Amino acid sequence: MSSPTFGLAGIMGWPVAHSRSPKLHNYWLEMYGLPGAYVQLPVAPGQLDLALPGLAALGFRGCNITLPHKVDTLKLVHEVDANAKRMGALNTLVVQPDGSLKGFNNDGFGYIQSLLDAQPDWRADSGPITVLGAGGAARAVVLSLADRGAKEIRLLNRTPEKAQALAAEFGAPVKALPWSQRHAALADVALLVNTTSQGMHGNPALELTLDALPRHALVSDVIYVPLETPLLAAARLRGNPTVNGLGMLLNQARPAFHAWFGVMPEITPELRRAVEATL
Ligand code: NAP
């Protein structure tokens, strides 16, 4: 009987040294007793077209794609999954049996799963949703909430044109509102999501007054450094349930690991603790 072959995967970006993905995937390789390694693949801007064709030749099963390559990779792979096409960005590549590359985006899956992990009976259609920010993370969050049946998504961004463009692209139920209305846009919502970089380590806190927010509303922040942003701390203090960004990070990795190594991995409390220790 032949033994399983050594599996290789990695994280391609510039820089990649700060990424928690090696910790995560190597933890799962060990947990499931699979021979393999997940390595850093630092690829400078301008080198992507040289690096990608090398993956199959080097025996990689695939890799994650991070900044600044998430959009440029779309044009350089042989096939793009329908969901990644709609997101306009990739975060995962899988080497196909014929050596060609197929691109996926699991950020939306990771986001929805993080809400379900926190509240198993959570539903996207249980009330209006307010999303702050209109960058890359917002695309994944808004699209996945709309796909889960959200009926009204109020989208507010400091630069209004970006929110308007997303609303025009995704259509109903997404409505762009002026940034100045963000405090009032919390009335009646079942879910508030911060996808801006405000509140992240090194950045000022998001300027937001929570007075209009119903106390039962779920408050989610996609930031995971720190685990509790000033927004989440303020929400917790007034009694709102909260979800931090670590669950999105951990859950987006699961379908990628499955595609490369054949096991849908579980997020155990020990794994959470191991990754939290690196934050
Ligand atoms: P991005 O594309 O650069 O978007 C940044 C967003 O923040 C934009 O909407 C931007 O508004 C807004 N913003 C920046 N400075 C602001 C300010 N002073 N006031 C108000 N809004 C401001 O970045 P991204 O990739 O979406 O990432 C955003 C955050 O999500 C980061 O903290 C990142 O770490 C986190 N993230 C987490 C995960 C996860 O797995 N948990 C995944 C992806 C991203 P403008 O358009 O006006 O500039």
Side-chain angles (χ1 to χ4, degrees):
M1 197 176 92
S2 66
S3 57
T5 57
F6 193 85
L8 270 175
I11 172 92
M12 189 179 289
W14 187 266
V16 288
H18 65 284
S19 170
R20 271 77 186 186
S21 293
K23 180 99 198 165
L24 189 53
H25 288 281
N26 285 318
Y27 184 99
W28 279 329
L29 283 169
E30 200 181 323
M31 178 173 156
Y32 292 104
L34 298 168
Y38 183 103
V39 299
Q40 294 182 8
L41 295 167
V43 171
Q47 300 289 302
L48 195 61
D49 56 337
L50 297 174
L52 289 177
L55 283 173
L58 289 166
F60 275 78
R61 310 243 174 114
C63 68
N64 284 123
I65 299 288
T66 189
L67 299 176
H69 302 315
K70 289 178 99 168
V71 175
D72 291 346
T73 313
L74 273 176
K75 300 187 287 283
L76 297 170
V77 298
H78 306 93
E79 196 183 345
V80 179
D81 157 81
N83 197 37
K85 239 179 234 166
R86 291 164 72 219
M87 297 250 187
L90 295 182
N91 81 339
T92 302
L93 288 183
V94 178
V95 176
Q96 304 295 289
D98 65 357
S100 65
L101 295 176
K102 182 165 181 183
F104 299 85
N105 192 320
N106 300 321
D107 281 343
F109 168 87
Y111 179 67
I112 297 294
Q113 203 55 49
S114 75
L115 298 185
L116 290 170
D117 286 351
Q119 289 192 345
D121 59 352
W122 173 83
R123 293 178 59 107
D125 61 358
S126 62
I129 297 172
T130 290
V131 176
L132 302 176
R139 285 188 75 87
V141 165
V142 170
L143 202 54
S144 59
L145 288 172
D147 284 351
R148 289 289 294 204
K151 294 201 167 70
E152 180 187 346
I153 301 175
R154 304 168 185 163
L155 184 63
L156 302 94
N157 192 50
R158 177 183 59 172
T159 309
E161 295 78 18
K162 276 166 72 178
Q164 287 156 7
L166 267 195
E169 183 182 340
F170 294 161
V174 188
K175 293 179 184 65
L177 296 174
W179 183 241
S180 58
Q181 286 181 20
R182 63 193 182 283
H183 316 287
L186 304 184
D188 318 324
V189 303
L191 171 67
L192 163 66
V193 194
N194 174 46
T195 73
T196 78
S197 48
Q198 296 302 93
M200 192 166 84
H201 177 73
N203 287 357
L206 183 68
E207 274 181 48
L208 187 66
T209 306
L210 298 181
D211 296 348
L213 185 72
R215 306 234 174 223
H216 60 79
L218 183 59
V219 179
S220 130
D221 201 321
V222 300
I223 291 170
Y224 54 88
V225 186
L227 280 172
E228 187 174 75
T229 58
L231 168 67
L232 293 188
R236 178 174 54 79
L237 284 174
R238 68 197 293 284
N240 288 92
T242 62
V243 181
N244 66 36
L246 184 60
M248 177 177 177
L249 178 79
L250 299 178
N251 276 293
Q252 63 75 31
R254 296 175 60 223
F257 189 91
H258 179 251
W260 301 324
F261 301 112
V263 174
M264 190 63 157
E266 292 304 321
I267 298 168
T268 60
E270 292 73 25
L271 170 61
R272 263 183 195 274
R273 277 197 291 276
V275 177
E276 280 177 16
T278 72
L279 300 179

